[in-house]
Each structure stands twice: as C-alpha cells, then as structure tokens.
Amino acid sequence: MDLFEYQGKQYFARFGIPVSAGGVADAVDEAVAQAQRAGFPVVVKAQVQVGGRGKAGGIKLANTADEVRTHAQNILGMDIRGHVVKRLWIEHASDIKKEYYASFTLDRAAKKHLGMVSARGGIDIEQVAAEDPKAIARLQIDPVDGLTEANARELVDEAGLDQEARQGAADILVKLYRCFVEGDADLVEINPLILTPDGRVHALDAKVTLDDNAAFRHPEWDEFRGLQEMDPREKMAHEKGLQYVGLDGDVGIIANGAGLAMSTLDVVNQVGGKPANFLDIGGGASAAVMASALEVINGDEKVKSIFINIFGGITRGEEVANGIVEALGRVQLKSPIVIRLDGTNAAQGRAILKEHESDRLISRPTMLDAARQAVAMAHGDSQGERA
Ligand code: GDP
Ligand code: MN
C-alpha cells in the first residue's frame, strides 16, 4: 500500500523524524483555514500518488490567504499524469539551504536492505542515478545486524553532505531505518531532505510503501486504507474476493493459480499482446466465481478480448466448462472469449464447451494458440488464427 505524502509524514512523525506542521484540506475554504493554523508562509501541496508534483504545478508557496485561495482553486481537480487531485496538504513553508535525498528499500537480489543517500536531492533520483551514479552513496544492510549510528554517519559522509547537516542527517537516517523495519515498509524515501539556513535537517517530502503482508500486525493501518485511490476495477474485484491487479492492455485474463496467471500474462506479451489485468480465480472455478471474474473484466472499458486459461487439478475440466457456460448465461459480455482448458478431465470439459462455441466463444488446445487467438481478436481480427 502506497501512502499519500501527508500520511507518510504522519508515519515518519511516529518515529521522531522531523516534518513540518500542517493539515489536510479537501476544499478551498478548508485550505485557507489550515494555512492560518500552520502560519504563513505556507506550501499548498497536491496529494496524489505520483512523483514530480512540483514540476506539474501541484506544489505552490503562498504568503497570504488570497494566494492560498488561488493555488487551492487551481490545484484541486488538477490532473497530474492521470491522478486527479482531491486533497491538499498545507504546511508551514520551510526555508531551504540545501536539498538532499535519503531512502531505504529492499535489495531483493542481495537479500539485504539498501540505504541510499545523496547530496543531490529535490530532483528525480532516477535521473541522478543515470547522469551521475557516483553522487548516490549506497549501503547494503544485513537485516539481522540493522543500521548503527556509525553506519548512518559513514553513509552521510560518503554522500558528501555539508558538514553542518551531517549529524542531523545521520540521526534522521537511524529513525528512518526504524520506520522502515518496525514500520514494516518496503520503501521509505525523503526527497528532499533539507538543510535549513539555521542548520536544521528536516523531511520536506515523504514516500512510504507499506508491506501489505505485514498488515495483520498493524491494525492502525486501517486509517490509511479508506483514503487510498484504488483502481475502480480493483475495488470491484476486491469486493468480490478476487485476486486482481489492473493493467493497461486490452486482453482480459482469467486464470486459476497465481503462477499460471503470471505465465498467461507472459505468453500474451510474447505474442505481441497487452494484458488488461492479472486475475487469479484460485483453486475452484465454480460458476459463481467465474461469473464474478467475467463481470469485473466486462467492466473494464479497454478490454477487447478475454483469455480464460484453466489448468484443471482438483477442479475437474467438466466443472470448469459448466461454470463458464453458466456464467455466460449470467453476464452479458462485450468481448469474445478464448478458452484454453487442460488438465484433469480436459476432454470432457472441451466437449461441453464445443456445444456452445461460436465466434464469441472459441476453444484452443494450447496456451500459445489461445494467446495468439485472443491477441488477434483484441487487434480487431475476428477470424484470428482460425484459418
Ligand atoms: P514532488 O515534486 O512531488 O517530489 O514534491 P516535493 O514535496 O518534493 O516538492 C517539490 C519541490 O518543491 C521541493 O523539492 C522544493 O524545492 C519545493 N518545496 C516544497 N516544500 C517547500 C517549502 O516548504 N519551502 C520551499 N522553499 N520550497 C518547497
Ligand atoms: Mn519530492
């Protein structure tokens, strides 16, 4: 789960990381009230889960209530790369002497934690990594050992932060690491971490990704969850208890088992198509589950064809086939379906499907054939690979 900046800052504050005082606002008048509470000058900040808000015009300084009003009016409703701004964070503005970068994340390949610090902050870290990789100091941390104050200090020294910022930055790094580990995050990032003219070090932005697998340990995360910007397709799928991830393509995918679903995405890509989603219907493939899956995919405007990829194990082929046929009776589909059914009692299942075949319901014996057919149909070739 990705947090909004203001939620990330609230999370940081629990671990003693210094952030600016501020409050949220969903309307212009509220923004003015929050600015008065925070004290002028303030920054009006768009709350969307996408970086580069500053460049997009979603971050503005304001010295007066009128300026807050103008900026809040402009920023609320603004579209920042596909994310519409519904909420603002207003905080007391900081004076900036220098902007740095600090983060902790997982280095999966090394099975370690990775700390990164740079004296070049406030800009896209990917850009720094590309232009000047040496400008980023990195430290692999064994999770068993953790991060000591001495480690933090070395990292800061290596990054070449200004002398007067080093102690403050090292203190924040130790706290940020605790936030990462005890806070069960996959990523904690401060960009920029600033040095103020009076020598304080302070987090001016917050990016936090929580590890959903640790949610059972954190009942307090529920307060974050209600406000997430969830993909409407994902919302519907979650309500129906399906394992679904929305993607950008036009081939809807239904598979049983996470591994097969992943392979299905791969094979669709391999034959030149673009999957619209990941959807794992799990072990069973009852008519009810299949109907739910088809409904979710049917609600996706981009979908042009649907690829159902089922490998019968405990679930037998004829049950799956009956489930699909029954589901088709319940859901009025906008797109044609291509089915690959294999595994236990596949022959019986295919025989059932055969009775219902049409140019809207096509059965293919292998995953590759089925993927080609589904992709061809998504590309508007109704005959696909039939010839
Ligand atoms: P992002 O563009 O989405 O990463 O949003 P940030 O919160 O990082 O803000 C972008 C930039 O706005 C920062 O790098 C700063 O240069 C500037 N900025 C943000 N807050 C303040 C502030 O309190 N005072 C000043 N002077 N500049 C700020
Ligand atoms: Mn930032």
Side-chain angles (χ1 to χ4, degrees):
M1 173 169 50
D2 293 330
L3 299 188
F4 289 102
E5 173 200 1
Y6 76 92
Q7 296 173 326
K9 283 181 168 168
Q10 288 165 0
Y11 212 52
F12 282 176
R14 287 184 203 175
F15 294 88
I17 298 165
V19 292
S20 307
V24 294
D26 298 340
V28 175
D29 288 339
E30 252 182 286
V32 174
Q34 290 290 17
Q36 267 144 0
R37 214 165 296 157
F40 290 100
V42 296
V43 211
V44 180
K45 308 187 78 173
Q47 296 301 292
V48 282
Q49 288 170 343
V50 58
R53 294 166 300 162
K55 257 189 230 160
I59 309 249
K60 295 282 181 195
L61 282 163
N63 288 303
T64 63
D66 276 346
E67 285 178 19
V68 171
R69 196 168 284 284
T70 306
H71 293 317
Q73 245 151 14
N74 290 337
I75 297 173
L76 280 170
M78 180 185 274
D79 186 316
I80 302 184
R81 276 172 285 131
H83 297 247
V84 178
V85 182
K86 299 199 186 89
R87 178 162 278 191
L88 303 170
W89 169 250
I90 318 289
E91 70 177 26
H92 184 68
S94 305
D95 284 334
I96 302 177
K97 187 167 172 190
K98 279 288 176 58
E99 300 190 58
Y100 310 126
Y101 173 93
S103 70
F104 290 101
T105 184
L106 297 171
D107 187 338
R108 290 178 196 275
K111 298 182 180 161
K112 296 235 166 101
H113 294 152
L114 177 68
M116 290 195 275
V117 176
S118 177
R120 291 189 58 191
I123 52 171
D124 187 3
I125 195 67
E126 322 266 291
Q127 193 187 327
V128 178
E131 287 171 7
D132 190 4
K134 289 209 183 64
I136 305 172
R138 294 159 200 268
L139 178 69
Q140 281 189 344
I141 303 148
D142 189 321
V144 175
D145 301 336
L147 180 86
T148 63
E149 277 188 54
N151 296 150
R153 182 60 202 230
E154 273 167 40
L155 193 52
V156 164
D157 287 342
E158 193 194 327
L161 301 199
D162 302 84
Q163 282 298 346
E164 57 180 314
R166 290 190 186 186
Q167 191 52 50
D171 287 347
I172 288 180
L173 278 186
V174 170
K175 289 171 178 159
L176 188 62
Y177 187 71
R178 267 194 59 217
C179 174
F180 177 65
V181 175
E182 290 169 34
D184 280 309
D186 282 337
L187 168 74
V188 290
E189 184 186 74
I190 307 178
N191 188 22
L193 176 72
I194 59 157
L195 171 65
T196 63
D198 56 357
R200 287 173 303 118
V201 184
H202 185 95
L204 214 57
D205 192 5
K207 191 170 170 194
V208 174
T209 305
L210 299 172
D211 174 4
D212 291 323
N213 293 316
F216 71 96
R217 278 201 284 262
H218 297 279
E220 81 279 10
W221 286 2
D222 284 351
E223 71 178 274
F224 296 144
R225 205 162 281 121
L227 302 152
Q228 291 301 307
E229 0 173 314
M230 212 186 212
D231 183 320
R233 301 172 299 171
E234 292 185 359
K235 195 157 166 263
M236 184 178 178
H238 283 245
E239 280 163 9
K240 293 179 183 292
L242 298 167
Q243 297 296 321
Y244 177 99
V245 180
L247 302 168
D248 290 331
D250 51 15
V251 180
I253 308 279
I254 298 174
N256 66 330
L260 185 62
M262 292 299 284
S263 310
T264 309
L265 301 189
D266 286 345
V267 78
V268 165
N269 275 311
Q270 189 193 323
V271 300
K274 289 214 163 61
N277 63 278
F278 167 98
L279 201 173
D280 166 19
I281 56 169
S286 67
V289 172
M290 190 56 81
S292 295
L294 285 170
E295 260 177 83
V296 168
I297 290 190
N298 210 32
D300 185 339
E301 297 290 323
K302 285 191 187 152
V303 167
K304 299 263 168 44
S305 69
I306 302 169
F307 178 7
I308 303 180
N309 191 6
I310 303 290
F311 192 90
I314 295 168
T315 315
R316 300 191 309 272
E318 73 271 24
E319 283 174 39
V320 174
N322 284 328
I324 292 169
V325 171
E326 202 183 319
L328 288 178
R330 296 193 202 175
V331 187
Q332 196 63 41
L333 287 180
K334 290 183 289 204
S335 322
I337 295 183
V338 183
I339 303 169
R340 174 262 187 167
L341 178 60
D342 212 335
T344 312
N345 293 359
Q348 288 93 316
R350 287 182 198 156
I352 291 165
L353 290 172
K354 194 147 193 73
E355 293 163 30
H356 298 269
E357 271 184 39
S358 68
D359 56 354
R360 309 282 296 166
L361 180 68
I362 296 164
S363 185
R364 282 283 176 268
T366 71
M367 198 155 139
L368 193 60
D369 286 341
R372 286 203 177 108
Q373 178 71 42
V375 170
M377 294 183 107
H379 291 170
D381 175 1
S382 67
Q383 292 307 301
E385 300 263 313
R386 294 186 108 193

